[in-house]
Amino acid sequence: MLISYKWIQDYVDVPWEPEELAHRLTMAGLEVEGVAKLAPDLPRVYVGVVTDCEKHPDADNLKVCIVDVGEQGAHTIVCGAPNVAKGQTVAVALEGAHLPGGLTIKSTKIRGVSSNGMICSESELGLSDDHEGIWVLPNCLNVGAPLVEALDLDDVILDVSVYANRPDCMSVLGIAREIAALTQGELTLPSIDYVTLDTPISNRTSVTVEDPERCPRYTAALLEDVRIEESPLWMQLRLRGAGMRPINNVVDITNYVMLETGQPLHAFDFEHLEEGRLVIRTARPGEKMETLDGVERELTPEMLLICDATAPKCIAGVMGGLDSEVTQDTKQVLLETANFSPVSVRRTSRTLGLSSESSARFEKGIDPSGTLFASQRALH
């Protein structure tokens, strides 16, 4: 499990540097397998703004950009990325920058036009595998600021091995709680306040649990007038640091809260639920469903499912279904936070050959009383 050193400090004072913290946690029974920087140092890489962008006079696939880099001045840069455009805030490597792939930036001429830097993609900066285009940053960043400083990338990631008997440590809060115990410090819990509508949820939806042994606790909340968009950059970076790919604000929130609390969550597109209700039951003979990875799964009667009035929508504790996933058109979300039998999830995962961040937590056994807190945190 990958844990951010800075994220931990949101909940507890850490008196040790990352390497010392790793040693203390290991001596306390949590094996820390590695300590690594979230991002390379990236000297001479800054936040810039593309103030002009024109087609290269001698190459249809290139553009000549003028990039304002604050105190570093304005620079002409030839860029071949298909998504570069005037007005974008971007990451700019200037002459003398050393990028993670071994590339050193130099001023040069490209098809007769001087180019004095590079507008970078995430992969060129060593931050992800995304190399399809330049990295377009939020417009709120300070132009000319060093990129690592502007994005708070000077973080350290601890790779913690959590044993089967310590499911309480499968989260940032769990690790923070251990540190609070070691330092006799105070654990600060995140905020869980949110606004509720006047309409009782019982007027809109219902949950029926047919197998309480496999599902001892199920919590659902309905969100209306949802706008699907990108999550804030700080959340995206924390997810990336934990090895997860940002998708959209709703899905990112479920993943963020899972990493934070240790409680997996799932978001359904409410309008794709037949009769607008959920039934938690085992699979019927011959039932199939297509999971989020695009694979059609054959289900067996021992597998616990989350269904609507007619069909399976999620394999409990393992993976959601493709036909009820949150998309750009989603306006209403039914948020699931539940507790499932570790044995049931483990058997289902192994039978299907399908594992996930959720199943890894459920298989160890998590606290049933944690569902409500995680739901409230996600709603906040």
Side-chain angles (χ1 to χ4, degrees), residues 86-334:
K86 182 179 178 180
Q88 291 174 333
T89 300
V90 295
V92 185
L94 298 183
E95 185 175 11
H98 299 284
L99 300 185
L103 178 65
T104 298
I105 303 302
K106 300 178 181 179
S107 294
T108 185
K109 279 195 173 184
I110 301 177
R111 293 288 187 95
V113 176
S114 294
S115 183
N116 304 297
M118 185 169 76
I119 305 174
C120 301
S121 68
E122 294 178 52
S123 65
E124 289 163 339
L125 297 170
L127 299 176
S128 81
D129 295 328
D130 187 353
H131 58 272
E132 293 185 0
I134 61 164
W135 189 14
V136 181
L137 302 172
N139 293 329
C140 60
L141 299 179
N142 292 327
V143 177
L147 187 72
V148 169
E149 175 186 306
L151 297 182
D152 203 24
L153 294 175
D154 54 339
D155 195 2
V156 173
I157 304 299
L158 284 70
D159 187 355
V160 184
S161 180
V162 180
Y163 298 117
N165 66 328
R166 293 305 308 272
D168 58 303
C169 290
M170 286 285 288
S171 65
V172 182
L173 272 173
I175 299 297
R177 187 180 295 110
E178 287 296 295
I179 296 169
L182 291 172
T183 62
Q184 298 185 12
E186 183 176 346
L187 181 70
T188 302
L189 295 178
S191 179
I192 57 173
D193 61 290
Y194 59 93
V195 177
T196 58
L197 302 177
D198 294 333
T199 306
I201 192 171
S202 57
N203 292 0
R204 299 295 313 282
T205 187
S206 67
V207 175
T208 303
V209 180
E210 294 186 358
D211 194 330
E213 184 175 342
R214 288 185 174 90
C215 178
R217 182 73 186 271
Y218 197 97
T219 303
L222 181 61
L223 298 92
E224 297 184 336
D225 299 324
V226 173
R227 293 190 308 274
I228 304 300
E229 52 193 35
E230 285 191 351
S231 55
L233 184 60
W234 64 265
M235 180 177 285
Q236 294 186 42
L237 292 172
R238 282 194 167 177
L239 292 175
R240 289 183 189 279
M244 304 192 77
R245 180 173 61 90
I247 297 173
N248 60 51
N249 51 354
V250 171
V251 176
D252 290 356
I253 285 169
T254 62
N255 286 331
Y256 183 88
V257 174
M258 177 186 67
L259 293 170
E260 184 180 52
T261 68
Q263 168 68 54
L265 307 91
H266 184 71
F268 297 96
D269 187 323
F270 184 65
E271 294 177 2
H272 288 187
L273 299 178
E274 193 71 29
E275 297 183 13
R277 63 189 181 93
L278 292 177
V279 179
I280 293 82
R281 60 170 174 81
T282 51
R284 293 165 182 157
E287 271 192 316
K288 299 178 180 180
M289 70 169 289
E290 188 175 0
T291 45
L292 286 170
D293 57 0
V295 177
E296 186 176 68
R297 309 282 177 178
E298 294 186 7
L299 308 172
T300 65
E302 294 78 26
M303 296 178 181
L304 188 69
L305 306 176
I306 314 302
C307 309
D308 61 12
T310 60
K313 296 295 177 181
C314 181
I315 301 174
V318 181
M319 187 173 288
L322 194 62
D323 66 348
S324 63
E325 71 170 332
V326 171
T327 69
Q328 207 64 34
D329 299 324
T330 299
K331 296 293 186 291
Q332 298 182 87
V333 170
L334 192 65

Side-chain angles (χ1 to χ4, degrees), residues 336-347:
E336 164 194 296
T337 44
N339 188 269
F340 302 114
S341 160
V343 174
S344 174
V345 173
R346 190 180 306 115
R347 286 176 178 170

Side-chain angles (χ1 to χ4, degrees), residues 20-39:
E20 176 68 11
L21 173 60
H23 173 73
R24 298 269 183 166
L25 289 174
T26 299
M27 292 300 99
L30 294 172
E31 182 182 359
V32 180
E33 298 182 347
V35 177
K37 289 183 177 181
L38 172 62

Side-chain angles (χ1 to χ4, degrees), residues 13-80:
D13 290 331
V14 183
W16 308 301
E17 292 299 309
E19 291 75 12
E20 176 68 11
L21 173 60
H23 173 73
R24 298 269 183 166
L25 289 174
T26 299
M27 292 300 99
L30 294 172
E31 182 182 359
V32 180
E33 298 182 347
V35 177
K37 289 183 177 181
L38 172 62
D41 292 332
L42 301 177
R44 292 195 55 76
V45 179
Y46 302 93
V47 176
V49 172
V50 180
T51 57
D52 194 23
C53 184
E54 303 288 344
K55 190 177 82 67
H56 192 290
D58 197 30
D60 291 339
N61 62 331
L62 298 177
K63 293 180 181 178
V64 180
C65 304
I66 306 298
V67 185
D68 177 12
V69 196
E71 294 182 357
Q72 306 299 321
H75 297 263
T76 300
I77 298 176
V78 177
C79 181

